[in-house]
Amino acid sequence: MTFWTFFFFVQVIGFTSLPNITNFDTFSSQSEQIFNLYMFLFPLYLKKAMRKGFFKTYVWRKYNKSNVQGIVDVKAHIQVNTPFVGNVAFKQREFSFDNDMNQLIRHTIEYVKNQSFGSVIVAKIKNESNKIIEATPTYEYFDRNKVISNNKQNTIRHAYYYEYRVLQRLCLMILQHQKHNIGFGSNHINGILFDGAWLWEEYINKLIGAGFYHPKNKSRVGAQQLFSKESGYQVGLIYPDFISKNNDNRIIADTKYKPIKNIDSKDYLQVLAYMFRFNAKKGFYIYPESDSAVNPSLQMYLNEGTTFEQNVNHQEDIVITKLGLIIPQRTDLTYSEFYRAMQSNENRLIKSILNE
């Protein structure tokens, strides 16, 4: 979801109807570190960085041998080659994978491995971690503070390695055990967690709610029954997203906050069950569409017959439509331009449903 899309949803729905979040399995006191999200972000950022290939840069290597190939290190030479036995201490600048950045990644991998949930995280980056381990043969656990210090002093600046710059910051935060606190401190968190699927459903309700009943699963409002029994108690409670108020031409609409290609078998069975329960001939899946070139209205007719009897045929009167609300994706739009584009797309969606 783009920023403007999210902002627009919140503007339309309003904060007053947002449900309260009452159960966080975290710590919020100043002295306690909350759930360490950084380590769970590590696989994502490592994969993104390594798509650019291994980070390779010039490093200084120190040698002490008779075949001098670089700059003589006088201080080191006096320390290690007194008395002189034929070797000379020197240093040489080499282009290498075994550098401070890859060493930082290696230390982060080793640190994550030792956490209680580390095996789950490392399993997601098995190939990447194996390559990093292979590229850092000089790794030593006791060099960790030195590696951290070197990376803090030499941040990655090259534009091509931007992903590595972000990864470098993340690794430093993990290895330095930086605390994130709610509401205070230099690394405090100010944020609200939203249920995207619920937000999408409530947004669609603002558009078509006048012509539809809207059962609410989260608040257990407007439950319907699949079956009835003589005992009188409720059996098979269901919560269709939207049931049209027109009893003569009943319509069932279901919101799906996912791409059209991900609306599949279980979704079909759910809406067909709702349509069968309420004697509806028409059903809709309403989903957000990001591609304006895609046809936002795809009709599917229910089949009858079987392949065994070779009499499969579609029924003209029972149809489900995948109806996409196109969300503008252009980043150069102002809010006013985005608002007008959304308003036009909304009117098109409302007309498609209510005119059925």
Side-chain angles (χ1 to χ4, degrees):
M1 182 189 296
T2 65
F3 169 76
W4 284 127
T5 311
F6 168 75
F7 183 69
F8 185 80
F9 288 166
V10 175
Q11 286 276 350
V12 171
I13 296 173
F15 279 102
T16 56
S17 61
L18 294 178
N20 293 325
I21 301 174
T22 57
N23 184 17
F24 278 104
D25 189 16
T26 60
F27 299 102
S28 59
S29 66
Q30 188 170 7
S31 60
E32 295 290 341
Q33 179 180 0
I34 68 170
F35 181 77
N36 200 334
L37 177 63
Y38 294 149
M39 280 186 279
F40 286 92
L41 291 175
F42 177 63
L44 171 66
Y45 284 95
L46 178 60
K47 288 177 179 289
K48 289 177 66 176
M50 292 192 67
R51 291 193 192 111
K52 291 287 183 72
F54 272 118
F55 182 80
K56 194 174 183 180
T57 188
Y58 284 103
V59 296
W60 285 101
R61 300 289 188 211
K62 294 183 178 182
Y63 297 97
N64 185 41
K65 56 186 181 180
S66 59
N67 184 18
V68 180
Q69 296 175 334
I71 301 172
V72 176
D73 189 343
V74 177
K75 181 180 179 180
H77 178 71
I78 294 173
Q79 289 177 340
V80 300
N81 294 319
T82 302
F84 182 70
V85 292
N87 291 333
V88 177
F90 64 93
K91 57 184 179 180
Q92 184 179 8
R93 196 164 181 255
E94 300 174 352
F95 211 40
S96 174
F97 291 124
D98 194 1
N99 49 61
D100 287 331
M101 180 66 235
N102 287 334
Q103 283 285 345
L104 182 70
I105 298 173
R106 174 71 182 276
H107 280 276
T108 306
I109 292 172
E110 299 298 333
Y111 174 79
V112 172
K113 279 183 180 178
N114 292 324
Q115 307 306 307
S116 58
F117 46 81
S119 58
V120 177
I121 298 175
V122 175
K124 297 179 181 179
I125 50 171
K126 184 178 180 180
N127 292 335
E128 290 80 5
S129 62
N130 287 341
K131 291 177 181 178
I132 291 292
I133 292 171
E134 184 179 350
T136 52
T138 61
Y139 165 81
E140 292 289 345
Y141 171 80
F142 297 103
D143 290 339
R144 182 164 298 175
N145 288 336
K146 178 183 175 182
V147 170
I148 291 173
S149 178
N150 289 343
N151 277 273
K152 290 174 69 175
Q153 294 175 13
N154 301 287
T155 57
I156 296 173
R157 302 185 183 279
H158 199 290
Y160 179 77
Y161 288 120
Y162 170 78
E163 290 81 3
Y164 274 97
R165 185 191 315 167
V166 178
L167 178 62
Q168 184 183 47
R169 293 176 57 191
L170 179 64
C171 290
L172 287 172
M173 287 190 288
I174 292 174
L175 294 178
Q176 293 180 110
H177 309 280
Q178 289 194 1
K179 297 181 178 181
H180 25 335
N181 301 296
I182 297 178
F184 42 75
S186 59
N187 295 310
H188 66 273
I189 293 174
N190 291 317
I192 302 174
L193 183 64
F194 286 95
D195 183 338
W198 172 87
L199 192 63
W200 175 250
E201 180 181 326
E202 293 304 310
Y203 166 51
I204 297 300
N205 183 47
K206 289 290 184 179
L207 301 180
I208 67 173
F212 285 81
Y213 301 112
H214 178 38
K216 298 183 179 181
N217 187 23
K218 285 185 177 295
S219 54
R220 302 299 180 184
V221 174
Q224 304 297 305
Q225 296 172 240
L226 274 177
F227 309 103
S228 62
K229 280 190 174 181
E230 294 181 358
S231 59
Y233 63 85
Q234 295 177 322
V235 179
L237 294 184
I238 56 174
Y239 294 87
D241 288 347
F242 297 98
I243 308 169
S244 69
K245 297 178 181 179
N246 185 351
N247 193 28
D248 296 328
N249 187 23
R250 189 79 79 187
I251 297 173
I252 299 296
D254 193 50
T255 58
K256 295 296 180 186
Y257 189 65
K258 57 184 178 180
I260 186 173
K261 63 181 180 181
N262 292 347
I263 301 175
D264 52 22
S265 300
K266 292 182 179 179
D267 302 315
Y268 299 149
L269 294 175
Q270 182 185 47
V271 168
L272 284 172
Y274 293 160
M275 292 171 63
F276 183 70
R277 163 63 177 81
F278 297 103
N279 299 319
K281 301 292 185 180
K282 295 183 176 69
F284 286 92
Y285 293 108
I286 307 174
Y287 70 96
E289 179 57 69
S290 60
D291 188 354
S292 59
V294 173
N295 181 5
S297 180
L298 175 64
Q299 291 186 323
M300 303 177 296
Y301 293 89
L302 183 66
N303 279 337
E304 61 181 356
T306 70
T307 56
F308 301 107
E309 299 169 349
Q310 298 182 348
N311 61 349
V312 176
N313 191 24
H314 72 267
Q315 304 180 49
E316 294 287 347
D317 60 337
I318 302 180
V319 58
I320 296 179
T321 303
K322 292 182 177 180
L323 187 61
L325 174 59
I326 297 176
I327 312 296
Q329 299 296 303
R330 286 173 49 194
T331 57
D332 60 335
L333 293 178
T334 65
Y335 177 71
S336 298
E337 292 170 336
F338 179 84
Y339 182 90
R340 288 193 295 270
M342 282 298 301
Q343 197 169 44
S344 174
N345 295 341
E346 289 171 350
N347 291 335
R348 192 179 300 114
L349 179 135
I350 294 170
K351 184 177 179 181
S352 298
I353 294 179
L354 296 183
N355 285 357
E356 287 290 337

